[in-house]
Amino acid sequence: MGEIPVLPVAPTRGRLRPLGLDEVRITGGFWARRRHTNATATLGHCRDWMERVGWTGNFRAAAQDRVHRERRGREFADSELYKLLEAMAWQSGDEGTLDTDIAALTEAVASAQEPDGYLNTAFGHTGQQPRYSDLEWGHELYCHGHLIQAGVAQARTGGEGELTKIARRAADHVCATFGRSGIQGVCGHPGIETALVELARMTGEQRYLDQAALFVDRRGHGTLADIEFGRAYYQDDIPVRRATVFRGHAVRALYLAAGAVDVAVETGDDDLLDAVVRQWEATVARRTYLTGGMGSHHRDESFGDDFVLPPDRAYSETCAGVASVMLSWRLLLATGEPRFADLAERTLFNVVATSPAQDGRAFFYANTLHRRRRGAVPATGAASPRAESSLRAPWFAVSCCPTNVARTLAQLPAYLATADDHGVQLHQYADAEIATSLKGGHRVALRIRTDYPSSGSVTVRIEQSSPRSPWTVSLRVPAWTAGATACLTDPDGTRRHVAPGTAEVTRSFRPGDEIRLDLPVRPRWIRPDPRIDAVRGTVAVQRGPLVYCAESVDLPDGHDVDVIRVDPSVAPEDGPEGAVVAAGQVTAYDGRRDEAWPYRPFDGAAAESTADRTGIVLVPYHSWANRGPSTVRVWLPTVEPDRPAPPNSAPTGR
Amino acid sequence: MGEIPVLPVAPTRGRLRPLGLDEVRITGGFWARRRHTNATATLGHCRDWMERVGWTGNFRAAAQDRVHRERRGREFADSELYKLLEAMAWQSGDEGTLDTDIAALTEAVASAQEPDGYLNTAFGHTGQQPRYSDLEWGHELYCHGHLIQAGVAQARTGGEGELTKIARRAADHVCATFGRSGIQGVCGHPGIETALVELARMTGEQRYLDQAALFVDRRGHGTLADIEFGRAYYQDDIPVRRATVFRGHAVRALYLAAGAVDVAVETGDDDLLDAVVRQWEATVARRTYLTGGMGSHHRDESFGDDFVLPPDRAYSETCAGVASVMLSWRLLLATGEPRFADLAERTLFNVVATSPAQDGRAFFYANTLHRRRRGAVPATGAASPRAESSLRAPWFAVSCCPTNVARTLAQLPAYLATADDHGVQLHQYADAEIATSLKGGHRVALRIRTDYPSSGSVTVRIEQSSPRSPWTVSLRVPAWTAGATACLTDPDGTRRHVAPGTAEVTRSFRPGDEIRLDLPVRPRWIRPDPRIDAVRGTVAVQRGPLVYCAESVDLPDGHDVDVIRVDPSVAPEDGPEGAVVAAGQVTAYDGRRDEAWPYRPFDGAAAESTADRTGIVLVPYHSWANRGPSTVRVWLPTVEPDRPAPPNSAPTGR
């Protein structure tokens, strides 16, 4: 391990020590394919779009003071360039050099920085509003945060360069302007907090941490205006320490929580950490979709009330998924508890992996769990509205998600494993190689072989270890194995059942030793809590960590997904090519289109449905909408009584 | 009947002739109480709030060219004054004179009118944007429309006065500016169309009708910008004639449809009328709540896709209810079909009557069918956000609903009955007196006695009739009677069953003759179409036209409504004071709060619920939230299997 760890999150304290991109390499399988597409398609795609829609040009126009007339994009467009630069930095190690791109973009950014470190193309130039005149919506601190993250990524991947210098100047400006005696405000969009803490970790400079702590403490006291969405929208309603659940705009809530964990860890503030854990618990128990997605409302991209989880209006923004993974990872490092890795896995496979198209050049912004109408193919030449993308779109008017997916996939190897004084912990399963030093400089190396999540079999081979030093390999046994049987086989061939949580093997390993984990990935029915009203009377299928869905392209006769009912008394089975087949029936409603009124009085008993049973093909949710316009649903109505009106009740009865 | 009928809608053609406020008087019961509150509380409440929040002052400020600095409220605030003036005009006949108020408000309005007839306090003055520079959001034609409606109301209630003159000048300005050779645009918010047609009907001037027809035909061709909500938001996506269902912003869609019906009727354009009827049919069959409410989405106050009718996120804006009644009434007059009166009745009792508080000084803007969290009491001194009112609020930042309710209640007697060459048609039931002239000047008078909808018994007594001229009394038999038994008793005592639709009695009536209609208002279970995913596994109760709900204040032990399950195999029964009692059970979920994850794998069979049965009290939906903060639900989960996870499945299993 070098002096500067190649890590997106590098706490100086906490239960677990993260392993960096120089210690973990993903060598094949699900995530390797996605990272390859990210490197070879998505990064260039984002670069080209930002040039085309003028967001890169904004920096050049700002440098020449013609930005008021020429600026393109929303007030936060600058941040997309920074996120792309961050993604390029993390990905540059393993997919050839991206130095030329990074240098060109950095030059544009550098040209627009003011002498005092301020950098934003939407404020403060001739004909624009003054700096910090709109903290509610201006996103200036948010943009500075992403700039700082990009600078940190550069320093940790290739060493400090021009971008890192720009970022430090920006951070110094923020501290000078928003310090204890400065503007007593916060940004309408959190994000600066995690960035400042990471810069403090990188530089060792306390003042960045102090500023982050100040921002966390200032929020929740109503310094921002009371907008129509309410101050909960930007978490300025209740101080972080006193809140009990995440609320308001989901990305804002989760970025803030991640920043609060960073501050809590660095300052040893257990009360603050506990407050975030409590909010995470309540949110996971009551405000999270089966996919791990968060955010129920389109109106303000926000969390709903407890158990308000409509599948058809699931906003489940891709960026909220990214933010949730960021938060879960920080909580895992701080506490060592596998439940945080459980949620991260669910969210990575079912939200983050769902967003990009197979070719890496189109994205979901919102990730609905139910779509009734086949969408139109988005325009390829123009940015799409964010919430209405019916198929993945190449770019959005608000295009935060593509670059957020890109930087997450670029960082992904860093989320697989950690170390502590006792050994190595495996949190996510992928074909990978791990090499690190344990306590006392003991070098260890592990080779992970698996095609998880297609298979549940994971083999861990010890490649390097000193035979005189016992240490522990810990493996997460996912919570989704509950009620089924997971097994661990020791290097000596001993096989035992393992319960959800953590399974450990401790010994003086020798190179060639193998541990084998067998996870039960057969498809299973899932029932929702009865308090989730929107999915009453339905079930879903999960196979390992993957949520499945019915997609109209797999149905006979051109039907849409409203015709499906499934029989949960028959177990779903594996089908060809990763599909699952469930017993069910297809009931075409087309003949009922002409009912005048969709509510019927009834006085009689329910009637059983009599349609013939058939096999319903289900596919992984992350793969949907890759075969043209379609309809989709995750939650499937069951073949329970259809309860038509009795014969004496007219069909038009109201 | 005078020269100018006292009517909100006075078509020159159509199947039925409306009866005006000078021909129909509501003398008691449900609507008389609400109209009295409207006259004695709501009108003054609206007047005082508009003075307090500065919307009346905007007109005075505009007259003195200081409006740019001083203007208050949103761009459409002017329209609230006009709607209040309209409401005062319609109500002035039966609740004492409102002349002083009308004169004072009219003076303010008059002072702000430009020499060319243009009138808007948000555009065109020093420091403001130019006139018609923002057709998408400026609402200038929308405001002119409400001004014209107020002027028409004045002319039809007290004779043409100052307000009518202002309105005619404004209409002339609109025709001069947006005529065939004028600006080729439409307003982002329809509303001018109905107003211009009504002015044409009042004045006999064709050019107002031509202009309305032009606006209807121009829409749907993309002259407005393609905003993030899409052009469907303001119905500029598809021409009215080619559309198949209402879509986009619900109030905009329904006002436009009402205007299209007006144009179609006056110009004899059956194709246009048929197009609107087709859209109404599709919308009622697939996009309407049980309450008659329309609009599923908070994000853009819009219709959802077919069968997207979430009860908890029902927007069901009060103004959309008002607009739906306006449209249904026009379609009823044009076609004579009782289905339009059916929907109007449902919407009046369950949306329009739900909005105002019992004291007429607070209102619902959105009318949700399910609320899980007890709301806070809205501030009495400040305007509330429109969508988040948890209890009725006295005023809103966007306060379209209070004045819209006020003008609808003021007009209400005009929606009860019509006439044609053959007789009189009763569409809505209330204690009332009707007097009109039939063909050949035959004077007839009817006395309606009922306490509908508490009781289903309606007695129609003939008070005046010539014994030599046979004529017909037609009575709507509501569609909600389907599957139950409705009876009609003739003046000679003959009793017969009548089916949903229209029941008729034709004879040479003599004064003292009585017809009696007995409608089966016993409470009944209602099941939703299985395609309405959001209410699967639930039932509702309707009693006559009234939708019922469970409200937490009626539950034992301080429970909220998430604890209720009902047993639809037992018929609901009448309870005390208008309540209904349903068999069901109460299952407290509080002990389950700590489940880590709300989705469980399961492999076993379902288990029956075993909680004790109890009586669940339900109250009319329109009456909810009058007893302090509460939770509510219309759709009630049934006591079907609760399906807990089998014993071998850990409660935290994911």
Side-chain angles (χ1 to χ4, degrees):
Chain A
M1 197 170 71
E3 276 299 298
I4 298 182
V6 189
L7 281 173
V9 185
T12 56
R13 310 160 46 138
R15 171 70 189 81
L16 303 175
R17 173 173 68 79
L19 299 184
L21 299 181
D22 51 344
E23 298 172 300
V24 181
R25 204 162 63 88
I26 297 179
T27 47
F30 189 96
W31 292 115
R33 289 191 294 276
R34 273 160 179 77
R35 291 192 79 240
H36 178 71
T37 303
N38 192 49
T40 56
T42 303
L43 296 179
H45 172 87
C46 292
R47 176 200 61 209
D48 293 348
W49 265 94
M50 279 195 264
E51 187 65 44
R52 188 192 319 181
V53 294
W55 300 355
T56 312
N58 287 343
F59 290 91
R60 296 188 286 259
Q64 296 163 26
D65 204 28
R66 47 184 173 79
V67 73
H68 175 48
R69 289 191 311 279
E70 298 184 14
R71 191 172 184 284
R72 297 288 175 269
R74 293 285 297 272
E75 55 274 48
F76 37 75
D78 293 1
S79 67
E80 301 314 329
L81 225 76
Y82 307 148
K83 280 152 70 188
L84 177 59
L85 277 164
E86 186 192 342
M88 285 176 166
W90 297 124
Q91 191 96 41
S92 60
D94 56 354
E95 294 278 356
T97 183
L98 294 160
D99 288 352
T100 311
D101 279 336
I102 292 174
L105 293 174
T106 301
E107 192 183 335
V109 171
S111 71
Q113 191 165 36
E114 307 288 330
D116 69 349
Y118 179 89
L119 212 176
N120 195 295
T121 68
F123 288 87
H125 303 92
T126 305
Q128 291 183 327
Q129 283 186 253
R131 292 181 186 182
Y132 304 121
S133 57
D134 181 11
L135 287 176
E136 284 77 14
W137 299 107
H139 287 77
E140 290 156 279
L141 290 172
Y142 168 86
C143 288
H144 281 131
H146 279 302
L147 173 61
I148 294 166
Q149 292 283 17
V152 169
Q154 181 179 63
R156 287 184 177 158
T157 51
E160 291 204 32
E162 179 61 20
L163 192 57
T164 317
K165 288 179 197 138
I166 299 168
R168 293 179 76 142
R169 283 196 295 266
D172 291 341
H173 153 77
V174 168
C175 293
T177 311
F178 284 87
R180 286 206 182 276
S181 56
I183 300 173
Q184 299 298 301
V186 295
C187 185
H189 200 313
I192 186 80
E193 298 82 1
T194 46
L196 286 170
V197 174
E198 218 53 50
L199 186 63
R201 288 164 173 168
M202 188 196 103
T203 60
E205 293 197 32
Q206 176 76 20
R207 65 207 166 92
Y208 299 132
L209 174 60
D210 292 345
Q211 185 63 48
L214 207 52
F215 281 137
V216 169
D217 281 339
R218 263 186 205 154
R219 194 174 295 266
H221 297 285
T223 67
L224 297 171
D226 190 10
I227 52 174
E228 181 162 0
F229 299 154
R231 287 201 178 93
Y233 174 77
Y234 28 48
Q235 295 75 47
D236 198 29
D237 54 336
I238 305 170
V240 177
R241 284 168 205 283
R242 295 220 320 267
T244 56
V245 68
F246 298 140
R247 68 228 172 272
H249 187 271
V251 179
R252 283 170 167 82
L254 294 161
Y255 279 7
L256 175 64
V261 173
D262 284 341
V263 167
V265 166
E266 295 304 318
T267 60
D269 187 340
D270 288 344
D271 285 347
L272 182 58
L273 180 62
D274 289 349
V276 177
V277 169
R278 202 169 58 234
Q279 293 165 51
W280 183 93
E281 284 171 352
T283 302
V284 170
R286 304 181 218 147
R287 299 188 173 187
T288 303
Y289 284 100
L290 181 63
T291 54
M294 293 184 181
S296 304
H297 294 335
H298 279 239
R299 175 171 170 259
D300 49 0
E301 308 186 306
S302 75
F303 286 99
D305 284 347
D306 289 351
F307 302 109
V308 176
L309 294 161
D312 50 355
R313 290 294 280 178
Y315 200 67
S316 182
E317 186 183 334
T318 299
C319 287
V322 166
S324 173
V325 171
M326 286 169 55
L327 174 60
S328 293
W329 179 245
R330 282 159 172 79
L331 290 170
L332 174 63
L333 293 181
T335 67
E337 296 174 19
R339 56 181 174 159
F340 300 114
D342 283 333
L343 185 71
E345 174 181 65
R346 182 177 291 275
T347 309
L348 284 167
F349 277 114
N350 300 295
V351 180
V352 177
T354 304
S355 177
Q358 282 165 333
D359 70 359
R361 297 177 192 279
F363 307 85
F364 277 128
Y365 189 112
N367 294 280
T368 187
L369 274 69
H370 184 182
R371 188 173 167 86
R372 291 180 180 76
R373 219 160 28 104
R374 299 181 196 200
V377 178
T380 52
S384 295
R386 51 187 159 172
E388 295 302 330
S389 58
S390 53
L391 290 167
R392 295 172 182 88
W395 203 249
F396 303 92
V398 173
S399 212
C400 44
C401 297
T403 53
N404 234 349
V405 167
R407 69 182 183 130
T408 304
L409 291 175
Q411 295 167 353
L412 203 72
Y415 295 141
L416 257 56
T418 58
D420 65 6
D421 286 351
H422 311 291
V424 171
Q425 300 81 39
L426 304 181
H427 305 290
Q428 307 298 341
Y429 297 111
D431 216 63
E433 293 170 358
I434 299 173
T436 190
S437 293
L438 300 181
K439 199 176 175 182
H442 177 191
R443 291 292 300 172
V444 299
L446 302 85
R447 185 83 183 86
I448 323 291
R449 287 267 177 251
T450 183
D451 62 348
Y452 188 87
S454 294
S455 142
S457 179
V458 180
T459 303
V460 181
R461 181 185 161 93
I462 309 300
E463 299 283 352
Q464 183 181 1
S465 178
S466 161
R468 286 172 313 257
S469 302
W471 55 288
T472 301
V473 175
S474 301
L475 301 101
R476 178 176 62 96
V477 182
W480 57 254
T481 64
T485 305
C487 289
L488 186 79
T489 310
D490 283 350
D492 61 11
T494 312
R495 188 175 159 87
R496 56 186 158 109
H497 288 181
V498 286
T502 303
E504 297 186 345
V505 182
T506 304
R507 61 179 62 203
S508 295
F509 287 104
R510 287 173 301 190
D513 278 355
E514 280 193 1
I515 301 164
R516 182 185 163 106
L517 180 65
D518 286 295
L519 299 172
V521 293
R522 67 179 169 83
R524 297 170 78 188
W525 293 116
I526 304 286
R527 278 208 198 272
D529 187 294
R531 286 170 292 184
I532 307 176
D533 290 288
V535 292
R536 190 182 308 287
T538 68
V539 293
V541 166
Q542 197 178 317
R543 183 186 183 281
L546 298 183
V547 173
Y548 274 62
C549 65
E551 191 179 0
S552 57
V553 287
D554 296 309
L555 293 175
D557 306 328
H559 281 307
D560 278 309
V561 290
D562 62 348
V563 302
I564 298 172
R565 303 213 157 198
V566 295
D567 182 351
S569 70
V570 180
E573 292 181 0
D574 278 325
E577 295 177 33
V580 162
V581 180
Q585 64 190 39
V586 167
T587 310
Y589 284 104
D590 306 346
R592 300 173 62 174
R593 279 280 168 194
D594 294 318
E595 281 192 51
W597 182 242
Y599 310 100
R600 299 178 176 208
F602 73 99
D603 309 287
E608 284 291 336
S609 171
T610 54
D612 290 339
R613 294 299 154 88
T614 183
I616 308 282
V617 173
L618 308 175
V619 296
Y621 173 70
H622 67 70
S623 73
W624 91 275
N626 273 306
R627 294 173 288 172
S630 63
T631 57
V632 71
R633 64 186 303 165
V634 165
W635 292 105
L636 308 168
T638 61
V639 289
E640 277 144 17
D642 198 38
R643 305 182 187 288
N648 69 337
S649 169
T652 59
R654 293 179 201 169
Chain B
M1 196 170 73
E3 277 299 298
I4 298 184
V6 189
L7 282 173
V9 185
T12 56
R13 311 158 48 138
R15 173 68 189 82
L16 303 175
R17 174 172 68 80
L19 300 184
L21 300 180
D22 51 345
E23 298 173 300
V24 181
R25 205 161 65 86
I26 298 179
T27 48
F30 189 97
W31 292 116
R33 289 190 294 277
R34 274 161 180 75
R35 291 192 78 239
H36 178 70
T37 304
N38 193 49
T40 57
T42 302
L43 296 179
H45 172 88
C46 292
R47 176 200 61 210
D48 293 348
W49 265 93
M50 280 195 262
E51 188 65 44
R52 188 193 317 180
V53 295
W55 301 355
T56 312
N58 287 342
F59 289 90
R60 297 188 284 261
Q64 296 163 25
D65 204 28
R66 49 185 172 78
V67 74
H68 175 48
R69 289 191 312 277
E70 298 184 14
R71 191 173 184 283
R72 298 288 176 269
R74 293 284 297 271
E75 55 274 46
F76 36 76
D78 293 1
S79 68
E80 302 313 329
L81 226 74
Y82 306 149
K83 280 153 70 187
L84 176 60
L85 278 164
E86 186 192 342
M88 286 177 166
W90 297 123
Q91 192 97 40
S92 61
D94 56 355
E95 294 277 356
T97 182
L98 293 159
D99 288 351
T100 311
D101 279 337
I102 292 173
L105 293 173
T106 301
E107 192 183 333
V109 171
S111 71
Q113 190 165 36
E114 307 288 331
D116 69 347
Y118 178 88
L119 212 176
N120 195 295
T121 68
F123 289 88
H125 303 92
T126 305
Q128 291 183 328
Q129 282 186 254
R131 291 180 186 183
Y132 305 121
S133 57
D134 182 11
L135 287 177
E136 284 77 15
W137 299 106
H139 286 77
E140 290 155 281
L141 290 172
Y142 168 85
C143 287
H144 281 131
H146 280 301
L147 173 61
I148 293 165
Q149 292 283 16
V152 169
Q154 182 178 64
R156 287 184 177 158
T157 51
E160 291 205 28
E162 179 62 20
L163 192 58
T164 318
K165 288 180 197 137
I166 298 168
R168 292 180 76 142
R169 283 196 295 265
D172 292 341
H173 154 77
V174 168
C175 293
T177 311
F178 285 86
R180 287 206 183 276
S181 56
I183 300 172
Q184 299 299 301
V186 295
C187 185
H189 200 314
I192 185 80
E193 299 82 0
T194 46
L196 287 170
V197 173
E198 219 52 50
L199 186 64
R201 287 165 173 167
M202 189 196 101
T203 61
E205 293 197 32
Q206 175 77 20
R207 66 208 166 92
Y208 300 132
L209 175 59
D210 293 345
Q211 184 64 48
L214 207 52
F215 280 137
V216 169
D217 281 339
R218 263 186 204 154
R219 193 173 295 264
H221 296 285
T223 67
L224 297 171
D226 190 9
I227 52 175
E228 181 162 0
F229 299 152
R231 287 201 178 92
Y233 174 77
Y234 27 48
Q235 295 75 48
D236 198 29
D237 54 337
I238 305 170
V240 177
R241 286 168 204 282
R242 295 220 319 268
T244 56
V245 68
F246 298 140
R247 69 229 172 273
H249 188 271
V251 179
R252 283 170 168 80
L254 295 162
Y255 278 7
L256 175 65
V261 172
D262 284 340
V263 168
V265 166
E266 294 303 317
T267 60
D269 187 340
D270 288 345
D271 286 348
L272 181 58
L273 180 62
D274 288 349
V276 177
V277 169
R278 202 168 56 234
Q279 293 165 50
W280 183 94
E281 283 171 352
T283 303
V284 170
R286 305 182 217 147
R287 298 188 174 188
T288 303
Y289 284 100
L290 181 64
T291 54
M294 294 185 180
S296 305
H297 295 335
H298 279 240
R299 175 171 170 259
D300 48 0
E301 309 186 305
S302 74
F303 286 99
D305 284 346
D306 288 352
F307 302 108
V308 176
L309 294 161
D312 51 353
R313 289 294 280 177
Y315 200 65
S316 182
E317 185 182 335
T318 299
C319 287
V322 167
S324 173
V325 171
M326 287 169 55
L327 173 60
S328 292
W329 179 246
R330 283 160 172 80
L331 290 170
L332 174 63
L333 293 181
T335 67
E337 296 173 18
R339 56 181 175 158
F340 300 114
D342 283 333
L343 185 70
E345 174 180 64
R346 181 177 293 273
T347 310
L348 284 168
F349 277 115
N350 300 296
V351 180
V352 176
T354 304
S355 177
Q358 282 165 333
D359 70 359
R361 296 177 192 279
F363 307 85
F364 276 129
Y365 188 112
N367 294 281
T368 187
L369 275 69
H370 183 182
R371 188 172 166 88
R372 291 179 180 76
R373 218 161 29 105
R374 299 181 197 201
V377 179
T380 52
S384 295
R386 53 187 158 173
E388 295 302 331
S389 58
S390 53
L391 290 167
R392 295 172 181 88
W395 204 249
F396 302 93
V398 173
S399 212
C400 44
C401 298
T403 53
N404 234 349
V405 167
R407 68 180 184 131
T408 304
L409 291 175
Q411 295 167 353
L412 202 72
Y415 296 140
L416 257 56
T418 57
D420 65 4
D421 286 351
H422 311 291
V424 170
Q425 301 80 40
L426 304 179
H427 304 291
Q428 307 298 341
Y429 297 111
D431 215 62
E433 294 170 357
I434 299 173
T436 190
S437 293
L438 301 181
K439 200 176 176 183
H442 177 191
R443 290 293 300 173
V444 299
L446 304 84
R447 184 85 185 86
I448 323 291
R449 287 268 176 250
T450 182
D451 63 348
Y452 188 88
S454 293
S455 141
S457 179
V458 180
T459 303
V460 180
R461 182 187 160 93
I462 309 298
E463 300 283 353
Q464 183 181 359
S465 178
S466 162
R468 288 173 312 258
S469 302
W471 56 288
T472 301
V473 175
S474 302
L475 302 101
R476 179 175 62 96
V477 181
W480 58 255
T481 64
T485 306
C487 289
L488 186 79
T489 310
D490 284 349
D492 61 11
T494 313
R495 188 175 159 88
R496 57 186 157 108
H497 288 179
V498 287
T502 303
E504 297 187 345
V505 181
T506 303
R507 61 180 62 203
S508 296
F509 288 104
R510 286 173 303 190
D513 277 356
E514 280 193 2
I515 302 164
R516 183 186 162 106
L517 180 66
D518 287 294
L519 299 172
V521 294
R522 69 180 167 83
R524 298 171 78 188
W525 293 116
I526 304 288
R527 276 207 199 274
D529 188 294
R531 286 169 292 184
I532 306 176
D533 289 289
V535 292
R536 189 182 309 288
T538 69
V539 293
V541 165
Q542 196 177 320
R543 183 187 182 282
L546 299 182
V547 173
Y548 274 63
C549 64
E551 190 179 1
S552 56
V553 286
D554 296 310
L555 294 175
D557 306 329
H559 281 308
D560 279 308
V561 291
D562 63 348
V563 302
I564 299 172
R565 304 215 156 196
V566 295
D567 182 351
S569 71
V570 181
E573 292 181 1
D574 277 325
E577 296 175 33
V580 162
V581 180
Q585 64 189 38
V586 167
T587 311
Y589 284 104
D590 306 348
R592 300 174 60 175
R593 279 280 169 194
D594 295 319
E595 279 192 51
W597 182 242
Y599 310 100
R600 298 176 177 210
F602 72 99
D603 309 288
E608 284 290 337
S609 170
T610 55
D612 289 340
R613 294 297 155 89
T614 184
I616 308 283
V617 173
L618 308 175
V619 295
Y621 173 71
H622 66 70
S623 73
W624 91 275
N626 274 306
R627 294 174 288 172
S630 64
T631 57
V632 71
R633 63 186 304 166
V634 165
W635 291 105
L636 309 168
T638 61
V639 289
E640 277 144 16
D642 197 40
R643 304 182 187 287
N648 68 339
S649 168
T652 58
R654 294 178 202 171

